[in-house]
Amino acid sequence: SCQTYEGGFGAEPFNEAHGGYTFCALAALRILDFVSIINVETLRSWLARRQLEFEGGFCGRTNKLVDGCYSFWQGGAIAVLDCWYNENNATGEKIGSADEEGLSFDEVMLQRYILLCAQDVNGGLRDKPSKPKDFYHSCYNLSGLSVAQHALSSSWPSTSCEAGDDDTNLNSLFGDASVNILGKTDPVLNIRLERVMYATEQFRSANERNDQEVRGNET
C-alpha cells in the first residue's frame, strides 16, 4: 500500500507521505468511489497536522517548512475528504453544521498566507517570501485560495454552479471581498465548476445518443 504509517500517501510503498501524492491518491479514489478502502482516520490526522499554526499555510511533509503550492495539495485533499466523510460517516457526525458547512482546516489563515506571504507585489505567487514567483506556485496557490473561499463539506459531485457563487455561500473570507474572491473550482478535479458541469452534460448527452443508436440497431 502507498498509504504510510503516518496516514498520508507516498509515491510508492515505503516512501514518505507527501502532500502531492496524497491528493492524487485521494482524488482518484474519490472518483472511483473507493475511499473506504483506506485508513480514513489516520489520513485525516496527517492532513490536520500539515497546516502550520503560525504561518497559516501548509507544508508538504512532516517537519518541513510551509510552501504555497500545498495550499491546494493539502487544502484540496482536506476538502475532498471532508465531503466524503460527511456523506459516508456511519455515526452521523458531520464536519461543519447545518448553518455553516466549513472545512476542517482554518480557511482564513490559509487565505491570509496566500494573499500576504505567497503573493508577489509585482504579480504572480510563490512558495514563500524570499522565493521567486513562478507559474507552478501561482497555479496551486490560486487553486488553494479558491478551495479556501468556496469549498464546502457538502455532497460531490456538485449538481449546480450556484453553490459558492454568491456571498451567502462563501466560507469565511480574509481581506477585501470585492477584489479577493476567485471563481469556484471542483476540489476533486481542480477545474472551474461551470466547466465541470459543461463536460458532464456533454458526456451525458453522448451516452444518450449512443443508447438511442443501439436501440435503433436492435429494432
Side-chain angles (χ1 to χ4, degrees):
S1 171
C2 291
Q3 187 173 22
T4 75
Y5 71 94
E6 291 184 284
F9 287 79
E12 58 186 16
F14 309 112
N15 277 190
E16 182 181 10
H18 182 282
Y21 296 118
T22 295
F23 174 85
C24 292
L26 179 60
L29 290 170
R30 182 62 163 140
I31 292 169
L32 296 170
D33 196 22
F34 274 99
V35 176
S36 59
I37 69 173
I38 65 174
N39 189 325
V40 171
E41 291 306 317
T42 59
L43 176 57
R44 288 182 67 197
S45 176
W46 184 79
L47 287 169
R49 288 168 171 76
R50 300 287 73 78
Q51 186 171 28
L52 303 183
E53 183 178 3
F54 179 74
E55 295 93 336
F58 286 95
C59 64
R61 293 176 286 161
T62 302
N63 295 325
K64 293 295 184 178
L65 299 176
V66 65
D67 183 336
C69 69
Y70 295 109
S71 301
F72 177 74
W73 296 127
Q74 306 285 36
I78 292 173
V80 173
L81 192 61
D82 282 358
C83 173
W84 179 89
Y85 186 84
N86 278 356
E87 291 179 13
N88 295 276
N89 181 26
T91 67
E93 174 193 1
K94 290 191 178 294
I95 297 166
S97 65
D99 299 323
E100 186 178 354
E101 297 182 280
L103 299 171
S104 58
F105 69 86
D106 192 327
E107 301 110 321
V108 174
M109 285 292 286
L110 179 60
Q111 293 172 63
R112 189 188 73 161
Y113 177 79
I114 294 170
L115 294 170
L116 298 185
C117 300
Q119 186 171 209
D120 190 296
V121 294
N122 297 310
L125 294 101
R126 57 199 175 190
D127 168 344
K128 59 179 66 70
S130 80
K131 296 287 187 178
K133 61 190 177 184
D134 58 65
F135 290 114
Y136 172 82
H137 284 90
S138 294
C139 172
Y140 289 108
N141 269 295
L142 292 173
S143 299
L145 183 59
S146 177
V147 166
Q149 291 177 343
H150 295 282
L152 304 174
S153 53
S154 52
S155 62
W156 184 86
S158 298
T159 57
S160 170
C161 290
E162 296 176 0
D165 286 345
D166 58 74
D167 291 343
T168 62
N169 285 315
L170 290 167
N171 290 334
S172 299
L173 292 175
F174 175 83
D176 187 348
S178 66
V179 295
N180 285 346
I181 298 176
L182 301 183
K184 183 178 182 181
T185 55
D186 182 310
V188 177
L189 304 173
N190 195 27
I191 302 172
R192 283 287 294 265
L193 191 57
E194 61 267 26
R195 308 293 196 276
V196 176
M197 301 298 295
Y198 175 79
T200 301
E201 178 60 26
Q202 294 302 304
F203 281 115
R204 187 191 64 79
S205 298
N207 287 336
E208 289 180 352
R209 289 194 298 271
N210 289 337
D211 290 342
Q212 290 172 358
E213 291 176 1
V214 169
R215 287 194 294 271
N217 293 334
E218 289 176 346
T219 57

